């Protein structure tokens, strides 16, 4: 405010000096030295105006220049019975506007005292007063001085009021902004209060002990779970250290961890073993970390503690159960190994002890035919053939049983296997075994699997042998090997156009010694049971679909 007002005042002083006072003095025939003083004053105020435009205002220089001009034009031969003072009336507003405190009153008293001194000097030295030639000249001089002073004072007051209005508008805007800021702050504080209450509710509601300590180790926060775990109330713990909460040994251990957290500024894990009032040992697992303010300054330690007594007890019980289970596994493994050895011994017995009587039966029937063949009737020879055929079937059945038991004991050697290649090899063998038979063997190329090559070949042999056997009454047998979608899985299949089976008996199809057809088809009833065992060893499943006299399809999957 001071700079624009000072520039305006300097400009008005310059214009008044050159355009009003000098012409008025000239018309009233005032002494030439008075006009010279006014012109010098006008040049001085013009210089001050230029300095103010450059941002430098000399407030006291203007005051004393104006005061000096007042004294200079008043004496000598300038006194006009007080009329000159009207031209300098703005001098009495200058000090209150531009100065504050003691300086304001000092300059104001100086200006008033100077004016009173000049008036007293006119009374004391009347000869120094330059009287006007006519009364109207003094009146005109008084009017001009009064108008100019009123104009200058009005301009100063106008600038002050304008500045005051702008300042008031600025203050009103600031006040409105402050109110908005206060409302926003109230909303933020309300939200922070809700968040604080929510945080306190969470801290008090959690089952873990939550605590905060200052740099001196005194508790600042002690939630309800901490009260339950330690048996110490929050009122007794807050403002005190660990010696109030724990026994001395545990307290010293906890405070040592606090110092380590403060020194390293890294989280630390602590395990505390305490005794309850009933003498029961409890184990607490605490995680402590450094607490910092918004500027990163270290202000304390926070921690979360959990009672892990029951968990440790359960872990110990679980370890004991695992050890017991491992012991049982070892025992079961030993019994299983014993059973496997017994099974191997049984298989050896079957392979050797059962085959001996069969060999004797075959040998004795051969001797009877050789020595007594001429004496035997046709019916007796037919019975001898049945005996040999039954012993052969019995031998085949023993071989199949041994093979079935061997499959469960074999260790799998899984490798990539081409089922298409295996099926083609088995198919050639079947065609070569009966060249006169008309059969069509369709094998889908690119059938790949991952499994034991020996067992997968045995699986395909059993399936293709069955298809070959049960389709022999067809004029042209058709056997197909391929892959199809079964739900979300890919399933391999072997399909034939043979006699098929009744789906009502499909549950018996893969059982040992289960035959759905009569003696017109040779076999022991072990083949599909062997297929099921091989598929299960590979983690797959097997099933069948068929219709009487319309063929059958065996599906299987491998893991």
């Amino acid at each position: 405010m001071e700079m624009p007002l000072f520039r305006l005042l300097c400009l008005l002083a310059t214009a008044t000096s050159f355009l009003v006072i000098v012409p008025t003095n000239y018309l009233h025939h005032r002494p030439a030295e008075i006009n010279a003083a006014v012109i010098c004053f006008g040049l001085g105020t013009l210089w001050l105006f230029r300095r103010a435009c450059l941002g430098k205002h000399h407030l006291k220089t203007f005051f004393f220049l104006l005061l000096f001009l007042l004294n200079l034009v008043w004496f000598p031969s300038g006194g006009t019975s007080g009329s000159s003072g009207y031209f300098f009336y703005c001098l009495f507003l200058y000090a209150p506007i531009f100065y504050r405190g003691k300086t304001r009153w000092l300059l104001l008293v100086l200006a008033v005292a100077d004016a009173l001194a000049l008036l007293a000097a006119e009374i004391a030295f009347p000869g120094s007063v330059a009287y006007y030639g006519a009364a109207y000249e003094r009146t005109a001089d008084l009017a001009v001085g009064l108008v100019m002073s009123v104009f200058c004072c009005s301009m100063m007051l106008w600038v002050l009021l304008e500045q005051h209005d702008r300042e008031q508008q600025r203050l009103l805007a600031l006040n409105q902004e402050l109110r908005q800021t206060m409302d926003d702050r109230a909303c933020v504080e309300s939200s922070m209060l809700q968040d604080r209450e929510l945080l306190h509710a969470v801290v008090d509601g959690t089952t873990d002990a939550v605590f905060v300590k200052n740099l001196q180790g005194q508790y600042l926060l002690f939630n309800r779970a901490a009260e339950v775990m330690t048996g110490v109330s929050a009122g007794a713990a807050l403002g005190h250290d660990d010696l109030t909460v724990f026994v001395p040994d545990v307290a010293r251990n906890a405070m040592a961890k606090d110092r380590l957290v403060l020194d390293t500024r890294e989280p630390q894990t602590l395990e505390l073993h305490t005794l309850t009032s009933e003498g029961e040992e409890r184990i607490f697992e605490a995680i402590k970390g450094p607490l910092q303010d918004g500027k990163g300054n270290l202000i304390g330690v926070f921690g979360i503690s959990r009672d892990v007594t029951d968990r440790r007890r359960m872990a110990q019980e679980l370890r004991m159960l695992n050890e017991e289970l491992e012991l049982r596994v070892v025992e079961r493994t030993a019994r299983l190994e014993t059973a496997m050895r017994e099974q191997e011994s049984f298989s050896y017995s079957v392979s050797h002890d059962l085959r001996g009587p069969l060999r004797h039966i075959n040998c004795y029937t051969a001797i009877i035919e050789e020595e007594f063949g001429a004496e035997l009737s046709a019916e007796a020879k037919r019975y001898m053939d049945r005996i040999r055929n039954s012993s052969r079937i019995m031998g085949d059945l023993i071989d199949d049983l041994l093979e079935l038991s061997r499959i469960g004991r074999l260790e799998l050697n899984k490798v990539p296997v081409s089922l298409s290649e295996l099926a083609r090899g088995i198919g050639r063998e079947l065609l070569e075994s009966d060249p006169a038979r008309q059969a069509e063997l369709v094998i889908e190329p690119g059938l790949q699997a991952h499994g034991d090559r020996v067992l997968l070949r045995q699986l395909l042999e059993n399936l293709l042998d069955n298809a070959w056997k049960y389709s022999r009454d067809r004029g042209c047998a058709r056997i197909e090997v391929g892959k199809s979608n079964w739900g979300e899985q890919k399933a391999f299949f072997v399909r034939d156009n043979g006699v098929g089976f009744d789906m009502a008996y499909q549950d018996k199809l893969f059982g040992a010694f289960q035959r759905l057809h009569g003696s017109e088809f040779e076999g022991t009833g072990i083949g599909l049971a062997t297929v099921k065992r091989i598929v299960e060893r590979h983690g797959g499943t097997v099933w069948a679909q068929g219709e009487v006299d319309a063929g059958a399809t065996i599906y299987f999957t491998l893991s």
Side-chain angles (χ1 to χ4, degrees):
M1 180 188 69
E2 293 180 352
M3 181 64 75
L5 182 58
F6 182 73
R7 287 199 296 263
L8 177 61
L9 192 59
C10 292
L11 186 60
L12 287 175
T14 303
T16 302
S17 298
F18 288 110
L19 301 179
V20 178
I21 298 177
V22 171
T24 301
N25 289 339
Y26 179 78
L27 292 175
H28 293 165
H29 306 288
R30 305 301 294 163
E33 58 270 17
I34 294 178
N35 284 335
V38 173
I39 290 173
C40 291
F41 172 76
L43 293 175
T45 54
L46 181 61
W47 179 80
L48 291 176
F49 173 75
R50 293 188 61 187
R51 294 286 295 175
C53 291
L54 296 176
K56 298 179 180 179
H57 54 301
H58 305 278
L59 300 177
K60 292 182 180 179
T61 301
F62 183 85
F63 177 82
F64 285 107
L65 184 62
L66 191 60
L67 189 64
F68 176 74
L69 178 63
L70 173 62
N71 289 272
L72 189 63
V73 299
W74 206 303
F75 290 104
S77 301
T80 56
S81 300
S83 63
S84 297
Y86 286 97
F87 287 92
F88 301 94
Y89 186 72
C90 62
L91 185 67
F92 302 103
L93 287 180
Y94 186 82
I97 292 175
F98 287 98
Y99 294 100
R100 304 289 183 272
K102 294 181 179 180
T103 305
R104 170 192 293 174
W105 297 109
L106 181 62
L107 294 179
L108 185 59
V109 169
L110 180 62
V112 173
D114 187 71
L116 293 176
L118 290 174
L119 291 175
E122 283 190 0
I123 297 174
F125 305 99
S128 299
V129 178
Y131 295 97
Y132 291 93
Y136 77 89
E137 291 181 354
R138 185 174 185 276
T139 303
D141 194 32
L142 289 172
V144 171
L146 182 61
V147 170
M148 292 306 301
S149 295
V150 170
F151 176 74
C152 290
C153 291
S154 298
M155 290 298 297
M156 293 172 66
L157 290 175
W158 177 76
V159 172
L160 287 175
L161 292 175
E162 283 291 324
Q163 186 64 29
H164 177 268
D165 291 340
R166 287 194 294 271
E167 187 68 17
Q168 187 177 14
Q169 292 296 329
R170 188 180 69 85
L171 290 176
L172 289 175
L174 289 176
N175 186 41
Q176 184 67 25
E177 184 178 354
L178 181 60
R179 288 182 179 178
Q180 184 64 35
T181 302
M182 292 178 63
D183 292 340
D184 295 342
R185 183 171 182 178
C187 292
V188 172
E189 289 179 350
S190 176
S191 178
M192 290 179 63
L193 181 60
Q194 293 178 358
D195 293 342
R196 189 179 298 111
E197 292 176 352
L198 179 62
L199 180 60
H200 286 169
V202 172
V203 171
D204 284 337
T206 182
T207 57
D208 293 339
V210 180
F211 57 88
V212 175
K213 303 178 186 177
N214 58 17
L215 295 177
Q216 290 73 37
Q218 298 170 337
Y219 283 98
L220 303 178
L221 175 65
F222 202 78
N223 72 339
R224 189 176 296 111
E227 295 178 351
V228 175
M229 289 184 183
T230 60
V232 179
S233 65
L238 294 178
H240 299 84
D241 56 16
D242 288 307
L243 292 173
T244 307
V245 179
F246 303 106
V247 296
D249 293 339
V250 177
R252 284 191 290 270
N253 188 14
M255 290 188 289
K257 280 292 184 179
D258 293 343
R259 288 192 295 271
L260 182 61
V261 170
L262 295 176
D263 293 339
T264 61
R265 294 199 174 194
E266 294 181 355
Q268 301 290 332
T269 302
L270 174 66
E271 186 174 291
L272 300 176
H273 294 258
T274 63
L275 293 176
T276 63
S277 58
E278 293 80 9
E280 181 185 3
E281 183 182 11
R282 307 298 295 180
I283 304 174
F284 298 100
E285 188 177 78
I287 299 176
K288 297 183 177 182
L291 185 64
Q292 300 175 345
D293 59 11
K295 297 181 180 179
N297 299 321
L298 195 63
I299 61 175
V301 176
F302 74 90
I304 301 175
S305 181
R306 177 174 296 177
D307 189 344
V308 296
T309 306
D310 296 336
R311 189 176 68 183
R312 295 290 178 84
R313 185 181 299 115
M314 293 176 62
Q316 180 65 24
E317 293 176 356
L318 184 60
R319 281 195 296 270
M320 294 176 62
L321 288 175
N322 287 335
E323 291 175 358
E324 183 179 356
L325 181 61
E326 290 178 358
L327 181 60
R328 290 182 179 180
V329 170
V330 171
E331 294 176 353
R332 293 282 180 86
T333 303
R335 287 199 295 268
L336 181 60
E337 291 177 350
T338 302
M340 291 180 66
R341 285 194 296 270
E342 291 176 354
Q343 185 180 10
E344 290 178 357
S345 176
F346 173 75
S347 299
Y348 179 82
S349 175
V350 170
S351 177
H352 292 80
D353 297 345
L354 293 184
R355 288 182 185 275
L358 291 178
R359 285 195 297 271
H360 292 165
I361 292 172
N362 288 330
C363 289
Y364 285 129
T365 54
I367 292 173
I368 290 173
E369 285 188 350
E370 181 178 352
E371 294 184 0
F372 305 101
E375 300 176 3
L376 295 176
S377 64
E379 185 177 358
K381 291 182 179 179
R382 187 166 59 253
Y383 289 151
M384 295 297 292
D385 291 336
R386 288 184 180 181
I387 291 173
R388 284 194 299 270
N389 186 53
S390 296
S391 64
R392 179 184 58 78
I393 293 174
M394 185 65 179
D396 294 338
L397 183 59
I398 291 172
D399 292 338
D400 291 341
L401 285 173
L402 290 175
E403 187 66 28
L404 183 61
S405 64
R406 186 181 65 86
I407 290 174
R409 301 192 308 270
L410 286 177
E411 182 178 353
L412 296 183
N413 181 23
K414 290 187 176 183
V415 295
V417 178
S418 173
L419 297 184
S420 299
E421 179 182 348
L422 291 179
R424 279 193 291 268
I426 298 169
R428 284 194 297 268
E429 294 175 0
L430 292 174
L431 292 174
E432 292 173 356
S433 66
D434 191 358
R437 182 174 171 179
Q438 292 185 358
E440 179 183 6
L441 189 62
V442 180
I443 300 174
E444 181 179 335
L447 297 179
Q448 292 288 331
H450 190 77
D452 189 284
R453 185 180 182 86
V454 175
L455 292 182
L456 292 181
R457 177 179 176 82
Q458 187 176 357
L459 179 147
L460 289 178
E461 283 181 348
N462 284 320
L463 293 180
L464 290 174
D465 283 342
N466 275 0
W468 181 266
K469 176 173 58 176
Y470 291 116
S471 62
R472 67 187 180 188
D473 294 335
R474 296 293 183 261
C476 180
R478 177 180 173 85
I479 301 175
E480 184 179 355
V481 180
K483 182 191 292 186
S484 65
N485 294 325
W486 187 268
E488 297 181 357
Q489 285 185 307
K490 295 286 187 180
F492 301 101
F493 66 86
V494 176
R495 180 180 294 123
D496 65 75
N497 61 345
V499 296
F501 64 92
D502 190 348
M503 288 292 290
Y505 302 102
Q506 61 175 334
D507 296 337
K508 298 181 179 181
L509 195 62
F510 295 97
F513 308 113
Q514 298 294 330
R515 291 176 53 83
L516 302 185
H517 300 281
S519 58
E520 68 273 16
F521 295 101
E522 68 278 2
T524 60
I526 302 298
L528 291 182
T530 303
V531 169
K532 182 180 180 182
R533 181 72 61 87
I534 294 173
V535 170
E536 289 176 348
R537 287 295 308 277
H538 285 80
T541 57
V542 60
W543 66 98
Q545 285 186 337
E547 184 178 351
V548 176
D549 204 34
T553 304
I554 307 297
Y555 295 92
F556 64 93
T557 61
L558 302 173
S559 61

